[in-house]
Amino acid sequence: IYLPAVTDAPMLPIVSHADQAAHGTETVLLVEDDDAVRGLLVKIMQADGYQVLTAEGGDQALSLFEQQMDQIDVLVTDVVMPKMSGAELAQAIQLRAPGIAVLVMSGRTNDAVLRHGLLRADVSLLQQPFDAVTLSRAL
């Protein structure tokens, strides 16, 4: 493949206010078993103004939720985790707090997410990989 040489300076993308993410003030319970991913997500969420509580897995998340149930507005969880799946965790938390918002993250296809029982009207799916703006908009 032959491509012509470019002699002009590259054009920078124009960033509009519509492309910028909204800032929040809610408290998020983030459940992610990968330390590096969890750390990055915490930084993104905190930069957007969210208060973030973290858990490595379902059992720890349920314990933390029981302690701070009145303060948690949103559950953000990975779909596939050891011991307890994101679906099981979301169901357990929604039994205790029926109105809580749930955002699940998955790098798997929608079919795999369906098999885990997560695609419901009261659960939002964030397909991985995603960027900070997409996460902020989803929250």
Side-chain angles (χ1 to χ4, degrees):
I1 298 175
Y2 293 98
L3 300 173
V6 177
T7 57
D8 297 336
M11 293 180 61
L12 297 175
I14 298 171
V15 178
S16 71
H17 293 290
D19 291 335
Q20 296 176 357
H23 290 285
T25 58
E26 294 86 359
T27 299
V28 176
L29 173 56
L30 171 63
V31 188
E32 169 60 57
D33 58 322
D34 185 297
D35 293 339
V37 172
R38 188 174 57 252
L40 179 60
L41 292 174
V42 167
K43 287 180 183 178
I44 293 169
M45 290 179 196
Q46 287 177 339
D48 284 341
Y50 294 97
Q51 301 297 317
V52 184
L53 305 172
T54 62
E56 294 179 18
D59 293 338
Q60 186 182 16
L62 283 176
S63 177
L64 188 57
F65 185 78
E66 291 294 333
Q67 295 169 12
Q68 301 189 35
M69 183 183 312
D70 295 335
Q71 299 169 7
I72 298 172
D73 302 298
V74 182
L75 168 66
V76 178
T77 183
D78 194 5
V79 172
V80 179
M81 296 182 296
K83 297 183 183 178
M84 183 183 295
S85 73
E88 294 167 333
L89 175 62
Q91 289 172 351
I93 286 181
Q94 286 179 319
L95 285 175
R96 293 164 173 84
I100 193 167
V102 177
L103 176 62
V104 295
M105 304 172 294
S106 177
R108 303 184 183 258
T109 64
N110 285 345
D111 290 341
V113 173
L114 278 171
R115 283 195 298 274
H116 281 276
L118 281 168
L119 286 186
R120 304 186 316 254
D122 59 344
V123 175
S124 297
L125 172 66
L126 185 57
Q127 191 72 36
Q128 294 171 327
F130 53 82
D131 60 18
V133 172
T134 304
L135 173 61
S136 297
R137 285 183 181 159
L139 280 172

